[in-house]
Amino acid sequence: HEVLGYRGLAFSYRGETKAIPVLSRSADISGLEFDFTTIIREVTGERRTVGFVSGHGEPSINPPPPQKQPGMPPQDPGVSYLHKLVKNYNLRSVELGSTKIDPQEMRGLMVIGPTQNIPESDLYALDQYIMRGGAVAFLVNGVTIQESQTAINATTNETGLEDMLETYGVRIGHDVVLDTQTDRYLVTKHVRTPLGNLPMTLPRPYPAWPHFAAAEIAEEHPILFRLPGISLLWPSSVRV
């Protein structure tokens, strides 16, 4: 089988070298700009800082402290695993009311899943950061879901962000969006048979979470780039 392609590319800077071994015509080259930018930042040591807002029930970006007593249940790691996945950024916890945030130093802010009311002073700090050119990603739940073995309860999640986001033309509903077509999905797993372990496609029960396969999402969008699919767990409606 013949594959047409190009020679690979090597990036060298002050003794540090990173390479893309092969550029194939048949491969997806839509992400080459992303690959180039990532490698250039790796070899030059450029690291931008992204802040994770804390203090309102958000999952922590800081790893939990080591367990002092054996046998204790593990502490919630929050989103600290991102330190291993995101190599080219400094990830910091940020308390909005403690200091003025400079967009030139803090290139972006993440507001992930707040569950408590955010004080006016913190909302003002967020708004001022945006007004000075800062970028903020809001991952906000319209409701809080509590699951047990016998029931699922949903309560309204009011954080104070609702009015601020509406001034930017975004309204988050206090509801849950479900998709009844995703009550079952197909998985491929190896099943033991007299002929050995064979791959078989089997239906599995699935909550009514909206699920989008790769063909249904805009993979060229930076947020969805190269994702094989996406599942939305208990999402709320968003009106723009």
Side-chain angles (χ1 to χ4, degrees), residues 51-240:
F52 287 71
V53 173
S54 62
H56 323 99
E58 299 91 345
S60 177
I61 189 62
N62 298 324
Q67 295 284 4
K68 296 182 179 180
Q69 298 180 359
M72 295 291 292
Q75 299 186 40
D76 183 4
V79 291
S80 60
Y81 60 87
L82 290 176
H83 286 285
K84 296 181 179 180
L85 299 177
V86 183
K87 302 291 187 180
N88 297 325
Y89 290 86
N90 296 315
L91 309 182
R92 281 177 38 195
S93 179
V94 174
E95 294 185 4
L96 294 173
S98 61
T99 183
K100 183 178 180 180
I101 308 171
D102 185 356
Q104 295 302 317
E105 298 178 1
M106 190 79 65
R107 301 305 296 268
L109 285 178
M110 303 289 295
V111 182
I112 303 179
T115 58
Q116 303 169 10
N117 190 61
I118 301 177
E120 286 292 335
S121 58
D122 289 5
L123 294 174
Y124 179 77
L126 265 179
D127 186 67
Q128 289 299 299
Y129 175 79
I130 296 173
M131 295 295 290
R132 293 195 300 271
V136 183
F138 294 94
L139 284 71
V140 182
N141 297 315
V143 297
T144 299
I145 301 293
Q146 295 179 332
E147 301 179 65
S148 67
Q149 295 182 349
T150 58
I152 298 177
N153 297 317
T155 56
T156 299
N157 183 40
E158 296 184 352
T159 62
L161 287 169
E162 295 81 10
D163 292 340
M164 191 188 83
L165 291 176
E166 281 204 42
T167 63
Y168 289 102
V170 178
R171 177 180 296 179
I172 298 176
H174 295 299
D175 51 26
V176 177
V177 177
L178 301 176
D179 184 356
T180 58
Q181 298 182 49
T182 59
D183 60 342
R184 286 187 175 269
Y185 74 116
L186 299 178
V187 296
T188 300
K189 62 180 299 184
H190 285 80
V191 178
R192 182 175 298 178
T193 71
L195 300 177
N197 290 335
L198 298 178
M200 299 184 67
T201 301
L202 303 172
R204 284 289 182 265
Y206 194 75
W209 297 328
H211 176 77
F212 303 94
E216 300 172 309
I217 61 178
E219 291 184 78
E220 67 275 7
H221 194 283
I223 295 179
L224 305 173
F225 181 61
R226 288 181 177 168
L227 286 181
I230 183 171
S231 295
L232 304 178
L233 282 61
W234 311 121
S236 297
S237 63
V238 178
R239 295 183 180 181
V240 181

